[in-house]
Amino acid sequence: MNEMYKARSATEIGELLQQSFDHWMHTNARWLEVMNYDPKPATGCSPKELLWSKNKSKLYHYQASTPRRYLTPVLLVYALINKPYVLDLMPGFSLVEYLVNEGFDVYMLDWGEFEWEDRDLTFADLVYDHIAPSARRVARNAHSEEISIIGYCQGGTMSTMYAALFDRPILRNLVYLAAPIDFDGAGTYDVWLKAPGYDPDRIADMMELVPKGFIDWGTRMLNPLNNYWGTYTRLWKTIEEDKPINFWKVLNKWTQDNINFPGGIYRDWIRDFYQGNKLIKNQIVLRGRRVMLQRIKANLLALVGQKDHIALPHQTAAALSYLGSNDKTYQEFPVGHGGLVLGATARDNIFPVLCSWLGDHSEIWEDDAKTNGRNGRR
Amino acid sequence: MSDENAKQQEFMMPNPYKLWENLYFRAEDSMGVLMKKMVETKSFANSIDFILNNYLQYLKFQNELASAYIENTPLSSKQDTARLAKLLVALENKFDRLEDDFTNELTAIREQTNEVLEHLAAAQKGAEACQDDVDVRISATLDDLRNLIGKVEHMEESLKNYLGTSAEPDKESPAPKRVRASQKKA
């Protein structure tokens, strides 16, 4: 629709007005249709097999049609907020797909959906009983003594705890995607979670299993108008400008796909991390063992979004100071929290940087093994 | 000339729909920024905490009431189902641990078996080398023996000839031919 009408008569003006009105009505009708009736788009389409499962969590191994180039396997550890298929959103916009096509052996730990029986889970349970066994299985399945871990958001924080506590399999590379390590100056969360009336113990005790709606509310309220209303006006504008809406639909599906949060983990997350900032002080103790960040010797790559309002850039950058790695790389991109794995910037700028760094820091899959095919032994 | 007239008559008018759209989205952006600033204030945090704490108090009351009611009715509660699920999870954990132990043991056995096989292969190679040596020595000994037997036969022949010339034996009952054990064997 043009900003200005150019006409020679009142009739022409009338016709143009009618055209604009019809376009608007069509836009409105389609907008309502998309919000109410359109089927949800397919997500997480990369072919995969279930390697191991425990309780609700599942460890997936992604199948490749391209030859494997790197021996060191890659394990993706996602956060406990929303679902991990954001890392494999749709063909052409998938970190998993990109890694697989680059010749990496890729695995992903999906936490599943926590239910009432999981309300007492703690970070110790997730690190010892889920991440550590997954890492062992990944190494065994890939016939490698070393692995790489990519931790997204809270998944990066959990991967850090794992890396500090476990020596085998050897963690060769640790990649952070908007993963908070230092919890001081956490923006709006700092104001909310350190307010005198906010008591995580009370919330965990009363709710036990913190409902997904509560977690979703806490995330969306960081930018309320944009997240609650702006999402739908953005859709309207996309339809009005005759642009494809598939990406909006996929993204909207993901943002609404929340999971419950175990009360035990909620308590730990708020009290020990946001309020106590214990991770960088080496005060986190899991099953009697202290998480010492200096013990982490893996090569480190920290990728952050400059506009991220959930994990602010300095929160991830702190890893450069506190981790004991000798090889540390830090890079910022002009995107928000999700922009590191979503959209064209991620696909065109961030994934290539990640893959290139990971390739340089991974062991090459040997030639004799190549002849045995993708899943051949080394 | 007519084209120029037409151009002169053409006039422009703003699209009211587009005007409204621009106005709306600019207003939304401004409101968004305003609201974002508002939620970042301490007073907002205090007010939502007040609402949250009241809700938690209500939740506590509701849970206690529901628990008391469920306890006295022959119905299974959410807690009962969760308890059962926890038992299943614990059982799965045990299986998982067993599987882990079994895999570790299997790996250890495989490694040990490989070591034993390597030792055996080395021993076999040694034995083969040793056997070759023994074969050479046996064939040399056999050659010596054959030479010895030949010499003995030659000596016997000489002795026979000597005895035949010195005393003619009885032709009806010839003396039995003596065969040495070594000859038999040969």
Side-chain angles (χ1 to χ4, degrees):
Chain A
M1 228 171 15
N2 295 326
E3 298 259 344
M4 302 292 282
Y5 290 146
K6 283 179 188 172
R8 282 186 292 271
S9 65
T11 318
E12 272 185 43
I13 289 285
E15 279 170 7
L16 289 169
L17 277 169
Q18 183 63 45
Q19 276 174 17
S20 298
F21 178 75
D22 290 345
H23 184 67
W24 260 48
M25 292 313 286
H26 169 76
T27 303
N28 291 341
R30 180 76 187 119
W31 182 58
L32 287 169
E33 196 180 281
V34 171
M35 287 200 298
N36 295 307
Y37 308 115
D38 262 19
K40 286 186 176 173
T43 44
C45 303
S46 296
K48 56 183 181 279
E49 63 168 3
L50 182 66
L51 189 65
W52 174 69
S53 70
K54 182 168 190 171
N55 196 355
K56 315 287 186 301
S57 64
K58 291 178 172 65
L59 177 64
Y60 289 111
H61 179 208
Y62 286 90
Q63 307 295 298
S65 52
T66 50
R68 183 171 167 184
R69 289 173 58 199
Y70 302 101
L71 174 67
T72 316
V74 179
L75 172 63
L76 297 163
V77 180
Y78 185 70
L80 302 175
I81 298 160
N82 291 73
K83 288 189 180 168
Y85 61 76
V86 68
L87 302 176
D88 182 27
L89 204 59
M90 58 192 248
F93 289 94
S94 159
L95 174 61
V96 168
E97 185 190 38
Y98 200 95
L99 285 166
V100 169
N101 288 342
E102 286 292 311
F104 289 98
D105 194 21
V106 183
Y107 301 80
M108 193 205 283
L109 180 58
D110 179 350
W111 298 108
E113 294 190 45
F114 296 109
E115 295 297 340
W116 194 246
E117 61 273 15
D118 307 311
R119 63 195 188 281
D120 298 324
L121 283 177
T122 60
F123 274 122
D125 298 322
L126 299 191
V127 171
Y128 278 86
D129 300 337
H130 294 258
I131 298 179
S134 296
R136 281 201 299 273
R137 277 168 175 80
V138 165
R140 199 186 299 150
N141 195 64
H143 308 290
S144 171
E145 289 179 357
E146 300 174 322
I147 62 165
S148 301
I149 289 184
I150 299 178
Y152 180 75
C153 187
Q154 195 183 32
T157 315
M158 288 190 279
S159 305
T160 308
M161 290 191 274
Y162 162 76
L165 292 172
F166 290 86
D167 298 323
R168 287 281 183 277
I170 299 162
L171 183 62
R172 183 161 173 152
N173 304 308
L174 181 58
V175 180
Y176 289 144
L177 291 171
I181 302 299
D182 180 359
F183 289 81
D184 257 353
T188 312
Y189 279 141
D190 225 27
V191 180
W192 291 0
L193 304 177
K194 288 178 183 170
Y198 191 82
D199 186 353
D201 287 315
R202 188 188 285 184
I203 294 169
D205 286 347
M206 290 299 113
M207 292 184 173
E208 298 188 66
L209 180 73
V210 181
K212 49 186 155 187
F214 185 79
I215 301 295
D216 184 44
W217 186 87
T219 316
R220 284 178 186 252
M221 278 303 283
L222 288 171
N223 194 355
L225 194 74
N226 194 37
N227 289 330
Y228 278 111
W229 180 245
T231 306
Y232 302 104
T233 54
R234 270 197 302 279
L235 169 66
W236 188 92
K237 202 171 182 182
T238 311
I239 297 170
E240 200 270 328
E241 289 170 358
D242 285 330
K243 288 179 182 167
I245 57 164
N246 196 39
F247 193 75
W248 181 91
K249 282 164 74 175
V250 170
L251 197 60
N252 193 52
K253 178 189 170 186
W254 176 70
T255 51
Q256 293 189 340
D257 220 352
N258 303 290
I259 58 170
N260 298 321
F261 212 92
I265 296 177
Y266 185 83
R267 188 198 312 266
D268 290 351
W269 183 239
I270 305 297
R271 191 186 54 197
D272 294 346
F273 290 84
Y274 275 99
Q275 293 182 343
N277 198 14
K278 290 183 178 176
L279 186 63
I280 58 162
K281 296 174 188 166
N282 293 333
Q283 288 175 352
I284 298 284
V285 178
L286 302 181
R287 291 190 185 167
R289 291 176 65 200
R290 189 173 293 276
V291 176
M292 305 284 285
L293 297 186
Q294 292 76 22
R295 282 195 77 239
I296 301 172
K297 302 293 178 198
N299 304 318
L300 175 72
L301 172 66
L303 301 178
V304 299
Q306 286 164 346
K307 299 173 193 166
D308 195 339
H309 62 292
I310 294 174
L312 304 180
H314 76 270
Q315 290 187 264
T316 311
L320 303 177
S321 314
Y322 292 102
L323 266 61
S325 322
N326 292 321
D327 184 334
K328 299 172 191 173
T329 311
Y330 175 83
Q331 201 158 343
E332 288 185 1
F333 294 91
V335 290
H337 190 70
L340 284 170
V341 289
L342 295 165
T345 309
R347 184 192 55 194
D348 300 336
N349 301 327
I350 301 170
F351 296 169
V353 168
L354 197 160
C355 284
S356 163
W357 184 90
L358 210 53
D360 291 344
H361 291 77
S362 295
E363 197 178 333
I364 301 291
W365 182 252
E366 288 175 8
D367 286 330
D368 58 338
K370 275 182 186 172
T371 55
N372 295 334
R374 174 83 189 194
N375 294 317
R377 281 169 179 268
R378 189 190 168 208
Chain B
M1 189 68 185
S2 59
D3 283 349
E4 277 177 19
N5 284 338
K7 270 184 188 174
Q8 279 169 1
Q9 283 169 4
E10 192 177 71
F11 60 93
M12 290 174 79
M13 180 189 144
N15 179 347
Y17 295 100
K18 206 69 194 174
L19 268 181
W20 190 89
E21 190 188 314
N22 288 343
L23 191 72
Y24 171 79
F25 280 105
R26 279 185 192 172
E28 190 188 295
D29 287 347
S30 307
M31 279 296 289
V33 173
L34 197 71
M35 284 192 75
K36 196 169 181 301
K37 277 187 181 167
M38 188 195 75
V39 299
E40 285 167 1
T41 59
K42 283 186 180 173
S43 58
F44 176 80
N46 291 336
S47 60
I48 56 165
D49 284 344
F50 177 75
I51 297 167
L52 178 67
N53 287 330
N54 279 306
Y55 170 70
L56 291 176
Q57 213 161 359
Y58 157 75
L59 198 66
K60 188 184 178 192
F61 172 72
Q62 188 198 41
N63 287 347
E64 283 174 356
L65 205 68
S67 298
Y69 173 73
I70 288 285
E71 266 179 29
N72 297 316
T73 52
L75 295 169
S76 65
S77 65
K78 201 156 72 168
Q79 270 86 350
D80 293 327
T81 318
R83 219 168 285 137
L84 188 67
K86 270 193 167 182
L87 286 174
L88 285 172
V89 171
L91 190 67
E92 195 191 20
N93 277 349
K94 279 183 187 170
F95 276 122
D96 209 51
R97 242 172 252 144
L98 274 174
E99 191 203 337
D100 247 4
D101 290 348
F102 179 72
T103 314
N104 291 340
E105 288 292 324
L106 205 67
T107 313
I109 288 171
R110 196 179 293 150
E111 281 168 5
Q112 283 168 6
T113 313
N114 284 343
E115 275 177 25
V116 169
L117 282 174
E118 278 170 17
H119 277 294
L120 278 176
Q124 197 181 353
K125 268 188 182 173
E128 277 170 5
C130 193
Q131 197 180 352
D132 290 345
D133 188 37
V134 169
D135 283 349
V136 169
R137 285 168 69 184
I138 286 174
S139 61
T141 313
L142 280 174
D143 285 346
D144 289 349
L145 265 174
R146 272 188 213 107
N147 289 338
L148 199 64
I149 290 165
K151 279 180 185 172
V152 170
E153 278 173 354
H154 181 71
M155 278 173 73
E156 262 184 350
E157 199 67 34
S158 306
L159 191 66
K160 218 161 115 181
N161 291 340
Y162 173 72
L163 286 172
T165 51
S166 59
E168 197 68 36
D170 189 3
K171 279 181 184 175
E172 286 176 0
S173 55
K177 193 179 180 181
R178 289 175 72 191
V179 178
R180 285 177 180 273
S182 58
Q183 271 181 305
K184 274 184 184 174
K185 199 175 175 183

